[in-house]
């Protein structure tokens, strides 16, 4: 190479500065501000996380060069890049300059990761804390250019070029000396990256600067490569011999996952707050009333506007109702009913009397109804309402069939009195099999609300939520029962995407996709307020959890827990029998006074109506803990 070249427009240096500034703007947009950024924020991007970089995530060696911790950090590095890059771009071919920058930056990242892979801090009291080392910035790559500039300056000086050589040498020493002083003052400086980049640039440039013949240059190049290879081996050998590599990697992955979880949660909370909505007044938000008390269940038909109401009061009735016109179409069936306490008649001999569920077979014009007589399933003709047969679900004296499902000519009936599942032939009512669910029965006379039977989307299994509240799955081929989720589920359903969901007092679980639910604080338990709740998810993307507060039904986000919508509650909570989702973006409230049908989109502004409630919720320990990093659960010691 020539000792010195004339100055030329440093477009490569300027381009790289612009690219790095653009990367910072992207970073600021991703992290919601212009910094300074903490290590936990930078983890979610491409920062150099030592243990992850060295165990497979090699892209971090390069990506971290374009990330910075603050505007000041970016400014310092870009100023240094301008000072060194402009000079060096006039001394080297541009492809040599770019290779030095990128490869030097990668080597600097590698050196930093190797040095800090298993770093610990010891407090004044002797407590040892494992450090997950995170590094970002272009300084390692810039120091590679500084090393190259020093190599060239020494070469020029040795060749005796006078004042030009002295000036170049002074400039070449400026940035390394400043980096050394700054590294001694600031404990957060990544000195390993600075030194690694500097040595790489120095050694990589020596073959270009020393020696006048090709053999001499090749010899120097081989020596430099051997030095870099030996240095790399010495850096990495202790890492791969470290018995704690897997443990450290799990710790780092957990920290990254926690960072992304918190960032995603905060983004969801903000997006929900900023989402445009159209609110209605109180009269529109309260929906419409149907003057039918004690409706146990609303059974949808193939027509979303047409439903069947199962009423139990002075008598048992099945009423076909049009939700669009808000008018009854006909009373399909009326049966005498012994009115007494909340459900059925006063004594236990009446447990199991009262319509609780109905399965429709519309192509055949039939319906299968539970509870028209004690503990029985009955088939009725949809055209005439005539009862074609009525058979007891079992021979046990205590029977309370609560849910029925029709599939491929078979009836599956769940009994809450003895917690069993009975399979019958739909055509004749003949009992085929009885499966005992692994939990105690629930013999009381209240309306079944949470109990559920659902067919899987593939049609190969049943999902059950019995009165014991332990969700289960029945394989229809093998007849094998298995538990899913955890005990304590309040409701089960299916969203618009066909996914099964389970609603708990602290969140929602999708058992086909998740092994463990994320706990979402969405309600504040209040004395005297029943814990009615339901989940509604018309589009399969924005699930809402309905629950009660003083004077309102609140709809909280199942993803974040914050209150989004509200609906007037005009009855005493003690008069409520059921709060249930209804197809077509509706839900209903069954009370002693009658039935209330709500449209989920016709709502009051929940954040305005329930501002005090939301504030108390956000002050709760459960809410605040969810926004904090959770420790990695360590396996228990086997003593």
């Amino acid at each position: 190479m020539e000792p010195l070249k004339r100055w030329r427009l440093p477009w490569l240096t300027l381009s790289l500065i612009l690219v790095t500034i653009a990367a910072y703007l992207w970073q600021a947009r991703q992290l919601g501000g212009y910094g300074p950024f903490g290590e936990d924020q930078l983890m979610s991007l491409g920062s150099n996380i030592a243990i992850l970089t060295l165990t497979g995530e090699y892209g971090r060696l390069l990506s971290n060069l374009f990330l910075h911790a603050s505007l000041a950090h970016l400014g310092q590095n870009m100023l240094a890049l301008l000072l060194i890059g402009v000079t060096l771009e006039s001394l080297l071919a541009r492809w040599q300059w770019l290779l030095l920058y990128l490869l030097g930056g990668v080597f600097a990242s590698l050196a930093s990761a190797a040095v800090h892979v298993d770093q610990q801090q010891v407090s004044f009291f002797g407590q040892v804390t494992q450090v997950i080392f995170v590094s970002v910035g272009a300084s390692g790559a810039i120091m590679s250019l500084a090393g190259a500039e020093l190599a060239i300056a020494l070469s020029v000086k040795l060749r005796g070029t006078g004042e030009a050589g002295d000036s170049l040498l002074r400039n070449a020493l400026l940035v390394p000396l400043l980096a050394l002083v700054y590294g001694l003052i600031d404990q957060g400086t990544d000195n390993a990256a600075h030194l690694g980049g500097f040595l790489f640039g120095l050694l990589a440039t020596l073959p270009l600067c020393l020696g006048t013949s090709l053999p001499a240059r090749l010899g120097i190049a081989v020596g430099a490569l051997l030095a870099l290879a030996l240095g790399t081996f010495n850096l990495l050998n202790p890492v791969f011999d470290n018995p704690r590599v897997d443990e450290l990697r799990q710790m780092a992955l957990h920290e990254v996952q926690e960072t992304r979880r918190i960032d995603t949660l905060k983004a969801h909370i903000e997006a929900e707050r900023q989402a445009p909505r159209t609110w209605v007044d109180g009269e529109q938000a309260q929906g419409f009333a149907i003057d039918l008390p004690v409706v146990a269940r609303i059974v949808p038909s193939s027509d979303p506007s047409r439903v069947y109401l199962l009423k139990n009061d002075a008598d048992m009735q099945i009423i076909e109702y049009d939700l669009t016109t808000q008018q009854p179409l006909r009373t399909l069936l009326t049966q005498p009913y012994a009115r007494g306490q909340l459900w059925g008649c006063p004594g236990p001999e009446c447990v199991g009397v009262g319509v609780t569920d109905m399965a429709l077979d519309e192509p055949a014009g039939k319906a299968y109804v539970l509870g028209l007589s004690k503990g029985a399933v009955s088939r009725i003709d949809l055209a005439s309402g005539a009862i074609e047969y009525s058979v007891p679900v079992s021979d046990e004296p205590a029977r309370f069939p609560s849910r029925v499902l029709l599939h491929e000519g078979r009836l599956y009936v769940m009994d809450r009195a003895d917690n069993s599942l009975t399979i019958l032939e739909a055509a004749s009512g003949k009992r085929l099999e009885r499966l005992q669910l692994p939990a105690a029965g629930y013999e009381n006379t209240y309306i079944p609300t949470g109990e559920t039977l659902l067919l899987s989307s593939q049609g190969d299994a049943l999902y059950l939520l019995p009165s014991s509240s332990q969700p289960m799955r029945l394989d229809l081929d093998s007849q094998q029962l298995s538990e899913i989720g955890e005990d304590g589920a309040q409701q089960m359903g299916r969203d618009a995407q066909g996914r099964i969901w389970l609603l708990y007092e602290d969140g929602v679980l999708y058992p086909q996709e998740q092994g463990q639910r994320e706990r979402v604080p969405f309600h504040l338990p209040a004395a005297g307020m029943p814990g009615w709740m339901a989940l509604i998810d018309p589009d399969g993307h924005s699930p809402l959890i309905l629950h009660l507060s003083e004077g309102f039904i609140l709809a909280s986000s199942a993803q974040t827990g914050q209150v989004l919508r509200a609906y007037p509650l005009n009855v005493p909570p003690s008069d409520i029998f059921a709060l249930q989702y209804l197809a077509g973006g509706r839900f209903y409230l069954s009370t002693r006074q009658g039935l209330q049908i709500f449209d989920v989109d016709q709502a009051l502004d929940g954040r305005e109506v329930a501002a005090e409630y939301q504030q108390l919720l956000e002050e709760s320990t459960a809410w605040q803990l969810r926004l904090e990093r959770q420790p990695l659960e360590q396996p228990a010691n086997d003593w």
Side-chain angles (χ1 to χ4, degrees):
M1 62 173 289
E2 296 297 328
L4 289 173
K5 291 185 178 181
R6 289 185 301 172
W7 185 90
R8 56 183 177 177
L9 180 67
W11 63 263
L12 184 59
T13 302
L14 297 176
S15 297
L16 197 56
I17 290 173
L18 290 175
V19 167
T20 308
I21 292 173
Y24 190 83
L25 294 175
W26 170 84
Q27 173 187 331
R29 182 169 182 176
Q30 294 297 309
L31 299 179
Y34 290 92
F37 305 109
E39 290 184 353
D40 55 341
Q41 294 175 288
L42 295 169
M43 275 184 171
S44 62
L45 302 179
S47 57
N48 183 14
I49 304 174
I51 185 62
L52 298 185
T53 299
L54 296 177
T55 55
E57 298 186 19
Y58 304 120
R60 293 178 180 273
L61 291 170
L62 184 62
S63 61
N64 84 92
L65 305 181
F66 298 93
L67 304 175
H68 288 82
S70 66
L71 283 169
H73 186 206
L74 175 70
Q76 290 168 1
N77 280 348
M78 293 305 96
L79 178 61
L81 178 57
L82 185 65
L83 291 174
I84 297 175
V86 169
T87 301
L88 199 61
E89 196 170 341
S90 66
L91 300 175
L92 294 173
R94 287 194 170 102
W95 68 268
Q96 294 171 330
W97 188 103
L98 187 60
L99 276 181
L100 277 171
Y101 185 87
L102 296 177
L103 294 181
V106 167
F107 188 83
S109 300
L110 186 66
S112 171
V115 169
H116 298 110
V117 68
D118 190 3
Q119 187 176 7
Q120 295 179 334
Q121 288 181 344
V122 182
S123 71
F124 177 79
F125 299 101
Q127 182 179 5
V128 179
T129 303
Q130 184 68 46
V131 176
I132 303 299
F133 188 81
V134 180
S135 177
V136 293
S139 55
I142 295 168
M143 289 300 291
S144 175
L145 298 181
E149 186 180 18
L150 181 61
I152 295 172
L154 290 173
S155 171
V156 170
K157 180 67 176 175
L158 291 174
R159 292 177 186 178
T161 56
E163 290 186 6
D166 293 338
S167 175
L168 183 62
L169 183 60
R170 285 194 298 271
N171 290 337
L173 288 172
L174 177 62
V175 170
L177 288 174
L178 287 175
L180 176 63
V181 172
Y182 192 76
L184 294 174
I185 296 173
D186 184 6
Q187 293 184 348
T189 303
D190 191 350
N191 292 312
H194 290 178
L195 182 60
F198 181 78
L199 291 176
F200 180 90
L202 183 67
L203 292 173
T205 313
L206 283 178
L208 300 175
C209 303
L210 302 180
T212 56
S213 64
L214 180 61
R217 289 187 176 183
L218 286 175
I220 296 171
V222 170
L225 286 174
L226 286 174
L228 288 173
L230 184 61
T232 303
F233 177 79
N234 286 332
L235 283 171
L236 296 181
N237 190 49
V239 175
F240 297 115
D241 287 342
N242 191 329
R244 300 181 64 231
V245 165
D246 289 340
E247 177 190 349
L248 293 170
R249 178 172 174 79
Q250 288 303 314
M251 291 174 63
L253 285 173
H254 172 75
E255 291 299 315
V256 172
Q257 290 166 359
E258 279 295 289
T259 297
R260 289 174 178 164
R261 179 188 67 79
I262 294 172
D263 288 347
T264 301
L265 177 58
K266 289 179 177 178
H268 277 164
I269 290 173
E270 189 59 30
E272 288 175 350
R273 290 174 178 173
Q274 300 299 327
R277 303 221 192 277
T278 301
W279 308 111
V280 299
D281 58 31
E283 184 176 352
Q284 291 175 292
Q286 65 185 0
F288 66 91
I290 302 175
D291 189 20
L292 287 173
V294 198
V295 173
R297 193 165 177 83
I298 298 181
V299 179
S301 70
S302 56
D303 180 357
S305 66
R306 187 168 52 87
V307 296
Y308 292 89
L309 311 179
L310 309 185
K311 169 184 170 291
N312 298 280
D313 191 38
D315 46 25
M316 295 180 288
Q317 290 183 318
I318 301 176
I319 300 167
E320 190 175 2
Y321 195 90
D322 191 317
L323 295 174
T324 303
T325 63
Q326 300 177 18
Q327 294 294 325
L329 299 175
R330 61 172 175 151
T331 299
L332 180 63
L333 180 145
T334 299
Q335 286 278 90
Y337 182 57
R339 183 174 185 178
Q341 293 182 340
L342 178 63
W343 173 269
C345 53
E349 69 275 6
C350 292
V351 171
V353 179
V355 284
T356 57
D357 199 12
M358 181 169 75
L360 291 173
D361 185 0
E362 291 179 286
K366 307 297 180 185
Y368 299 87
V369 184
L370 299 182
L372 286 177
S373 58
K374 183 175 175 63
V377 58
S378 305
R379 186 172 72 179
I380 64 174
D381 183 76
L382 285 175
S384 64
I387 300 175
E388 298 182 345
Y389 70 67
S390 187
V391 297
V393 173
S394 74
D395 295 325
E396 299 295 325
R399 299 187 299 273
F400 194 172
S402 57
R403 291 292 177 259
V404 60
L405 183 141
L406 174 66
H407 176 58
E408 294 184 346
R410 291 188 170 190
L411 295 173
Y412 296 85
V413 180
M414 194 157 57
D415 193 311
R416 66 161 26 189
D418 61 0
N419 214 38
S420 64
L421 181 71
T422 302
I423 305 172
L424 305 96
E425 187 179 79
S428 63
K430 178 184 176 182
R431 292 198 297 268
L432 302 176
E433 191 172 356
R434 179 179 178 275
L435 302 175
Q436 181 62 50
L437 305 181
Y442 181 61
E443 188 175 337
N444 83 14
T445 57
Y446 287 83
I447 294 177
T449 55
E451 288 139 275
T452 310
L453 271 177
L454 287 175
L455 184 67
S456 67
S457 300
Q458 296 78 19
D460 61 345
L462 286 185
Y463 286 89
L464 305 84
L465 180 59
S467 57
S468 62
S469 71
Q470 171 59 61
M472 310 203 71
R473 181 184 185 274
L474 172 67
D475 187 285
L476 293 179
D477 291 331
S478 65
Q479 299 291 294
Q480 292 295 312
L481 279 165
S482 57
E483 294 183 355
I484 59 171
E486 300 174 7
D487 190 12
Q490 303 291 306
Q491 284 193 5
M492 174 191 285
R494 192 195 329 268
D495 68 9
Q497 298 184 46
R499 300 179 300 173
I500 301 293
W501 52 258
L502 293 166
L503 175 61
Y504 292 82
E505 290 185 350
D506 57 357
V508 180
L509 173 71
Y510 295 88
Q512 296 161 305
E513 300 178 358
Q514 300 171 289
Q516 185 177 0
R517 74 179 183 277
E518 183 178 2
R519 301 184 187 277
V520 179
F522 64 87
H523 74 113
L524 297 168
M529 184 64 64
W532 295 108
M533 59 183 64
L535 186 133
I536 183 167
D537 190 6
D539 61 3
H541 300 287
S542 307
L544 296 170
I545 302 175
L546 305 170
H547 54 102
L548 305 183
S549 73
E550 192 66 39
F552 293 97
I553 302 171
L554 302 180
S556 297
S557 166
Q559 297 171 330
T560 66
Q562 64 181 338
V563 178
L564 300 179
R565 309 180 191 188
Y567 311 86
L569 179 61
N570 299 322
V571 297
S574 58
D575 284 356
I576 296 173
F577 294 151
L579 176 63
Q580 293 279 345
Y581 167 64
L582 190 60
R586 300 183 179 97
F587 66 94
Y588 67 92
L589 195 67
S590 178
T591 72
R592 291 179 185 271
Q593 290 76 26
L595 199 62
Q596 199 78 19
I597 308 290
F598 298 87
D599 186 324
V600 71
D601 290 326
Q602 299 291 305
L604 301 170
D605 184 351
R607 292 195 58 81
E608 179 181 322
V609 169
E612 184 178 350
Y613 186 98
Q614 180 66 32
Q615 182 180 351
L616 291 173
L617 184 64
E618 293 181 12
E619 291 172 356
S620 68
T621 302
W623 180 281
Q624 294 177 7
L625 279 176
R626 194 161 170 251
L627 291 169
E628 296 177 0
R629 306 174 74 81
Q630 301 303 308
L632 177 65
E633 293 185 6
Q634 299 291 346
N637 291 323
D638 186 10
W639 294 99

